[in-house]
């Protein structure tokens, strides 16, 4: 990032700071601060035993009686934003203000207000991440999450604090998760290998699922929308005696047959073979074994059947990013995922300062792609994972906390191709990886104003070059009651996936001698309360990824090699305000400047890394009451970005405006609606792959 760009950003936010401070002095009253846009009213939380590691379940908005009184207007509600519960920065329950690192959260209530149908969509308005994906905007579009110069395979996806990344090919598609199962999603930029190991080189996304409520409730809902959207959900949650449960089902169907055009290819048409059908089930059983032990069994089934429409071929430039596209009318993709774990929490001693957690888990991920157009083949990918986590969270002094433990994960993955014309099956790879680790994180509050933490993890792997040591250090200092400084360093890594190690095709081979990708992440930031009506959070980051694994065509047989190094600098900024009673505003800005420092292709050196360099601006204005009424206008703006590493091709940015609303028709009946992309802005996220334009949806849900 150039010095002039940094100065411009600082001037911009300093002007916001001055304006909001003057506004607060003129208004001269206490106000409530919003969290993310849209901000949904806070509801009581139900407490459960051994709750320290998982968030307590929140009552659904439909089950909460409407209040006839306005909430108290207090200065302390600014701290409510900083007191949002989070797990990922600590590997235990804490709050946003406890963390020395920036962490961004969206809750289930906010997802409902936004009309987000999947976790991929829920990330749209969060800072620190570019979540738009690269192959469409429909509900089933493949997710792409770019954090601080990393790609999707370099971002670790956690489910309730344990890894689910595909070690066969890398990453995890967040469009698989429908939001009906989600309590909140946390985005932790800057990596997390000290606590979570491999794949956390750019950041961590932690999906926290719902827990049982104290009162037995059932919620049913239906949503209808543009281009054949038809979604039905039903969830039951409650507790009887010592047994609690959450059971749910989500069925989502859409045709996604929208009109579109690709001017660069002189093409107009209707999006065909773009339909999708979700069938997702979730079951969670929680048993209190006395007052100090809890046993939880959780299982998710994620099933999806979708068309793969492909992209429009782009004739120029010759051999460009969209040159080899093709439209398909019969290609299909099928996924079925089973994610299950058994967790035991035990409070040791006589207090609440020592929690032992043990978890075993098993995942079965299967993807099948049927190509009936050109290749006439079926591609099968399967992964089986077994894992173990044990850890002890111990506050052994009033100002000192230690979290330490052991992780183990074994992943077996296969990839094969069946040729229909020749009636033959070819195995690309069939192998496994075993990973184990010891880790510890120590935190000390030297004074009420100064906190520091040290972390260390040693990973062991069955791979030749898979072991790694990951240290971290962080500090936080409160200059005043309104101003807090923070700084962090984390060393991260990503082990090679099985495809890059062992793939064996007709024109490519894997490289078993690959080294892990390595990352060094630094950030410094400030949390500034603006009078008693707002909060500004600023973070400057510097993230370097070396030994980048990339496909090398320049050798006699194409293979993967450690041939790259990228340094990304940027700023994450979030401003939350209450402009007047019941009127909230929020602005978040993320800028990225990923520069290629090393490559076997000299034309790429000092160029911007493709896809990862877009700047993102989100803004929103909302009206909200304690009676359940919410209405908001949200803006999402993405800057232009290159789509190849020589920066000879790029896509222009775009700006969309969405309208969201939520109306409580009664204590048990809620109407939701949204009109997205109000001005029908049309754009491409990848050459030849269109967006869906203006879309709407209307939902009705009831709790009984």
């Amino acid at each position: 990032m150039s010095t002039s760009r940094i100065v411009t950003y600082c001037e911009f936010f300093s002007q916001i700071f001055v304006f909001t401070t003057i506004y607060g002095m003129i208004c001269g009253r206490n106000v409530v601060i919003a969290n993310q846009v849209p901000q949904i009213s806070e509801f009581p939380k139900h407490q459960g035993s051994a709750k320290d590691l998982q968030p307590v379940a929140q009552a659904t908005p439909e089950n909460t009686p409407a209040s006839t009184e306005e909430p108290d207007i207090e200065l302390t509600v600014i701290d409510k934003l900083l007191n949002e519960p989070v797990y990922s920065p600590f590997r235990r329950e804490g709050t946003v203000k406890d963390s020395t690192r920036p962490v961004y959260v969206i809750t289930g209530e906010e997802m409902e207000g936004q009309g987000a149908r999947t976790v991929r969509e829920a990330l749209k308005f969060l800072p620190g991440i570019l979540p738009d994906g690269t192959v469409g905007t429909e509900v089933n579009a493949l997710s792409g999450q770019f954090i601080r110069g990393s790609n999707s395979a370099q971002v670790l996806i956690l489910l309730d604090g344990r890894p689910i990344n595909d070690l066969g090919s890398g990453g995890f598609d967040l469009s698989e998760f429908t939001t009906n199962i989600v309590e909140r999603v946390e985005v932790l930029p800057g990596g997390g290998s000290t606590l979570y190991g491999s794949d956390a080189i750019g950041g961590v996304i932690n999906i926290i699922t719902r827990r049982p409520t104290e009162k037995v409730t059932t919620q049913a809902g239906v949503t209808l929308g543009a281009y054949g959207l038809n979604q039905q959900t039903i969830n039951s949650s409650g507790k009887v005696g010592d047994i609690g449960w959450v059971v749910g089902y989500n069925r989502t169907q859409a045709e996604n047959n929208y009109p579109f055009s690709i001017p660069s290819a002189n093409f107009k048409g209707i999006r065909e073979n773009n339909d999708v059908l979700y069938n997702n089930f979730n079951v969670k059983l929680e048993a209190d074994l006395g007052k100090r032990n809890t046993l939880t069994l959780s299982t998710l089934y994620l099933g999806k059947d979708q068309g793969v429409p492909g992209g429009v071929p782009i004739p120029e430039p010759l051999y460009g990013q969209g040159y080899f596209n093709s439209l398909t009318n019969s290609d299909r993709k099928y996924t079925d995922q089973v994610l299950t774990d058994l967790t035991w929490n035990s409070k040791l001693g006589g207090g609440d300062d020592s929690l032992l957690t043990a978890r075993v888990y098993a995942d079965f991920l299967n993807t099948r792609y049927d190509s009936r157009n050109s290749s006439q083949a079926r591609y099968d990918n399967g992964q089986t994972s077994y894992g173990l986590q044990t850890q002890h969270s111990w506050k052994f002094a009033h100002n000192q906390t230690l979290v330490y433990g052991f992780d183990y994960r074994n992943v077996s993955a296969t990839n094969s191709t069946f040729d229909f014309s020749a009636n033959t099956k070819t195995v690309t790879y069939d192998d496994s990886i075993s990973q184990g680790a010891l880790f510890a994180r120590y935190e000390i509050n030297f004074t009420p104003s100064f906190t520091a933490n040290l972390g260390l993890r040693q990973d062991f792997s069955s791979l030749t070059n898979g072991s790694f040591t990951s240290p971290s250090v962080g500090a936080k200092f409160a200059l005043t009651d309104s101003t807090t400084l923070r700084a962090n360093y984390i060393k991260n890594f990503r082990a090679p996936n099985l495809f890059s190690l062992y793939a064996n095709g007709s024109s490519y081979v894997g490289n078993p001698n690959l080294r892990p990708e390595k990352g060094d992440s630094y950030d410094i930031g400030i949390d500034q309360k603006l009078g008693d009506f707002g909060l500004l959070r600023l973070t400057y980051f510097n993230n370097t990824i070396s030994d980048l694994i990339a496909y090398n065509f320049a050798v006699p047989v194409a293979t993967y090699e450690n041939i790259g190094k990228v340094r990304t600098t940027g700023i994450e900024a979030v401003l939350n305000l209450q402009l007047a009673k019941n009127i909230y505003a929020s602005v978040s800005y993320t800028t990225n400047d990923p520069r290629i420092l090393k490559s076997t292709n000299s034309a790429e050196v000092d160029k911007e890394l493709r896809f990862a360099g877009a700047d993102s601006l989100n803004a929103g204005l909302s009206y909200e009451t304690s009676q359940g009424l919410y209405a908001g206008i949200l803006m999402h703006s993405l800057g232009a970005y290159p789509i190849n590493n020589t920066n000879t091709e790029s896509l222009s940015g775009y700006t969309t405006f969405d309208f969201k609303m939520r109306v409580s028709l009664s204590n048990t009946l809620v109407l939701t609606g949204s009109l997205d992309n109000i001005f029908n802005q049309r754009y491409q996220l990848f050459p030849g792959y269109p967006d869906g334009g203006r879309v709407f949806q209307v939902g009705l849900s009831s709790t009984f």
Side-chain angles (χ1 to χ4, degrees):
M1 178 186 299
S2 67
T3 303
S4 61
R5 290 179 68 183
I6 296 176
V7 171
T8 301
Y9 304 143
C10 294
E11 289 176 348
F12 171 70
F13 285 104
S14 66
Q15 291 170 7
I16 292 177
F17 179 89
V18 172
F19 166 76
T20 51
T21 303
I22 293 173
Y23 181 88
M25 295 172 62
I26 294 174
C27 293
R29 62 177 183 269
N30 297 335
V31 293
V32 179
I33 182 68
N35 182 9
Q36 304 290 339
V37 177
Q39 173 69 20
I40 305 300
S41 301
E42 294 287 336
F43 296 97
K45 295 187 176 182
H46 301 280
Q47 304 296 321
S49 68
K51 65 182 182 298
D52 304 78
L53 275 186
Q54 300 185 35
V56 292
Q58 293 181 334
T60 61
E62 297 78 8
N63 194 42
T64 304
S67 172
T68 59
E69 299 180 357
E70 292 296 327
D72 292 333
I73 307 289
E74 299 288 348
L75 174 62
T76 55
V77 294
I78 292 179
D79 293 328
K80 189 174 293 185
L81 172 62
L82 297 176
N83 286 332
E84 186 76 48
V86 289
Y87 176 90
S88 48
F90 318 100
R91 198 156 164 164
R92 59 170 175 80
E93 277 299 322
T95 64
V96 171
K97 75 175 182 181
D98 294 331
S99 176
T100 62
R101 300 179 58 188
V103 57
Y104 309 109
V105 182
I106 181 169
T107 66
E109 288 76 27
E110 292 167 335
M111 295 178 205
E112 180 191 49
Q114 291 182 6
R117 297 159 296 187
T118 67
V119 170
R120 181 189 71 87
E121 294 179 340
L123 299 176
K124 179 178 179 180
F125 298 104
L126 287 184
I129 181 173
L130 305 177
D132 296 71
T134 57
V135 290
T137 56
E138 50 272 3
V139 61
N140 54 295
L142 181 70
S143 73
Q145 43 278 348
F146 300 86
I147 301 179
R148 296 187 178 180
S150 66
N151 58 41
S152 299
Q154 296 165 330
V155 174
L156 178 64
I157 308 300
L158 302 176
L159 179 65
D160 290 323
R162 55 91 165 185
I164 58 173
N165 278 40
D166 184 345
L167 297 189
S169 55
F172 193 97
D173 183 7
L174 294 178
S175 73
E176 300 284 340
F177 286 98
T178 49
T179 53
N180 62 298
I181 67 171
V182 179
E183 178 69 27
R184 69 176 187 262
V185 179
E186 304 167 1
V187 175
L188 182 68
S193 290
T194 301
L195 290 177
Y196 301 107
S198 178
D199 297 343
I201 198 167
V204 174
I205 298 174
N206 190 16
I207 303 167
I208 305 293
T209 58
R210 297 187 182 275
R211 292 186 62 206
T213 53
E214 292 289 339
K215 184 179 179 180
V216 178
T217 61
T218 299
Q219 181 182 4
V222 61
T223 300
L224 302 176
Y227 305 121
L229 175 66
N230 185 348
Q231 182 180 68
Q232 304 92 40
T233 62
I234 185 167
N235 295 280
S236 176
S237 177
K239 188 174 184 179
V240 175
D242 294 329
I243 304 297
W245 71 88
V246 180
V247 179
Y249 169 65
N250 178 293
R251 181 186 184 275
T252 300
Q253 187 173 20
E255 292 300 321
N256 297 318
N257 52 348
Y258 49 81
F260 74 104
S261 64
I262 305 294
S264 57
N266 194 28
F267 177 92
K268 287 186 178 181
I270 302 294
R271 198 71 163 143
E272 298 179 348
N273 190 36
N274 200 25
D275 60 297
V276 67
L277 175 62
Y278 286 82
N279 279 290
N280 289 358
F281 299 86
N282 61 285
V283 177
K284 179 176 286 187
L285 301 175
E286 188 173 285
D288 291 340
L289 309 178
K291 295 182 178 180
R292 305 189 62 79
N293 293 273
T294 301
L295 189 65
T296 303
L297 174 65
S298 177
T299 299
L300 302 179
Y301 172 78
L302 311 176
K304 189 165 63 172
D305 173 3
Q306 66 183 97
V308 182
V312 176
I314 308 298
E316 294 182 356
L318 189 66
Y319 307 128
Q321 294 297 301
Y323 185 82
F324 296 100
N325 289 347
S326 63
L327 294 173
T328 72
N329 56 23
S330 58
D331 285 8
R332 307 291 299 180
K333 180 182 177 183
Y334 308 91
T335 59
D336 62 274
Q337 333 262 23
V338 178
L339 310 168
T340 185
D341 61 71
L342 181 66
T343 304
W344 172 55
N345 290 328
S346 180
K347 293 182 179 180
L348 305 180
D352 296 331
D353 53 8
S354 180
L355 181 65
L356 178 66
T357 300
R359 169 187 282 148
V360 292
Y361 59 89
D363 299 333
F364 307 92
L365 314 180
N366 296 285
T367 301
R368 190 180 93 226
Y369 182 92
D370 285 351
S371 175
R372 297 287 184 173
N373 283 345
S374 56
S375 60
Q376 295 291 311
R378 184 181 70 233
Y379 305 92
D380 290 287
N381 290 277
Q383 173 177 298
T384 301
S385 303
Y386 299 99
L388 168 69
Q389 290 182 330
T390 60
Q391 70 177 58
H392 183 207
S393 176
W394 182 25
K395 187 174 182 179
F396 60 91
H398 75 280
N399 65 335
Q400 299 179 70
T401 302
L402 180 65
V403 178
Y404 62 96
F406 170 75
D407 290 341
Y408 175 77
R409 188 184 186 201
N410 177 270
V411 176
S412 298
T414 61
N415 177 280
S416 63
T417 301
F418 183 82
D419 188 327
F420 289 109
S421 59
N423 197 31
T424 58
K425 178 180 178 180
T426 303
V427 177
T428 307
Y429 63 83
D430 182 359
D431 240 297
S432 63
I433 298 176
S434 293
Q435 298 171 319
L438 296 170
F439 68 89
R441 181 183 185 272
Y442 169 71
E443 182 175 303
I444 180 170
N445 300 322
F446 290 103
T447 70
S449 301
F450 181 52
T451 299
N453 62 76
L454 297 171
L456 184 65
R457 181 184 179 101
Q458 179 60 55
D459 277 85
F460 308 94
S461 175
S462 60
L463 301 178
T464 303
N465 299 314
S467 300
F468 202 82
T469 303
S470 306
S472 67
V473 59
K476 178 167 61 74
F477 180 61
L479 290 175
T480 68
D481 290 339
S482 300
T483 305
T484 300
L485 304 177
R486 44 188 166 77
N488 301 274
Y489 166 75
I490 311 99
K491 192 170 188 63
N492 306 289
F493 82 105
R494 172 180 173 257
N497 60 47
L498 289 172
F499 185 89
S500 61
L501 288 167
Y502 305 123
N504 185 17
S506 58
S507 59
Y508 59 87
V509 295
N511 180 0
N513 297 315
L514 289 173
R515 300 181 302 276
E517 296 177 331
K518 297 186 287 289
D520 292 283
S521 180
Y522 304 84
D523 64 66
I524 57 174
I526 182 172
D527 298 340
Q528 178 67 53
K529 295 179 183 178
L530 307 178
D532 55 6
F533 68 101
L535 180 69
L536 175 65
R537 306 193 75 199
L538 286 172
T539 303
Y540 168 80
F541 63 85
N542 183 309
N543 198 44
T544 301
I545 304 176
S546 58
D547 279 337
L548 275 169
I549 298 172
Y551 206 44
N552 189 357
F553 294 94
V555 293
V557 179
T559 188
Y560 286 89
E561 293 184 355
N562 297 100
I563 59 177
K565 182 176 183 179
V566 173
R567 177 170 295 133
T568 305
T569 56
I571 292 174
E572 298 160 4
V574 187
L575 174 65
N576 295 94
L577 301 169
Q578 181 172 354
L579 302 179
K581 187 177 182 180
N582 298 328
I583 299 178
Y584 303 90
S586 178
V587 180
S588 67
Y589 185 56
T590 302
T591 176
N592 296 275
D593 187 17
R595 292 290 158 180
I596 300 173
L597 304 183
K598 180 181 178 182
S599 174
T600 54
N601 183 356
S602 60
E604 296 179 352
V605 175
D606 203 33
K607 295 297 194 295
E608 188 173 298
L609 185 68
R610 64 175 190 159
F611 296 113
D615 295 344
S616 177
L617 174 65
N618 298 312
L621 183 66
S622 64
Y623 179 83
E624 177 192 352
T625 71
S626 60
Q627 286 77 29
L629 174 64
Y630 167 80
I633 293 288
L634 307 179
M635 182 195 79
H636 176 63
S637 182
L638 195 71
Y641 54 92
I643 56 175
N644 65 0
N645 287 339
T646 56
N647 297 180
T648 57
E649 294 183 68
S650 63
L651 285 176
S652 59
Y654 60 88
T655 300
T656 60
F657 292 85
D658 303 342
F659 171 74
K660 313 286 187 179
M661 75 166 192
R662 180 183 182 278
V663 181
S664 293
L665 303 177
S666 69
N667 286 347
T668 60
L669 198 62
V670 171
L671 175 69
T672 59
S674 66
L675 180 62
D676 294 347
N677 198 352
I678 296 172
F679 301 108
N680 200 32
Q681 172 75 44
R682 305 309 296 264
Y683 52 91
Q684 301 173 59
L685 293 167
F686 188 86
Y689 287 79
D691 76 298
R694 184 190 300 115
V695 294
F696 72 90
Q697 64 182 42
V698 178
L700 189 66
S701 62
S702 177
T703 301
F704 49 90

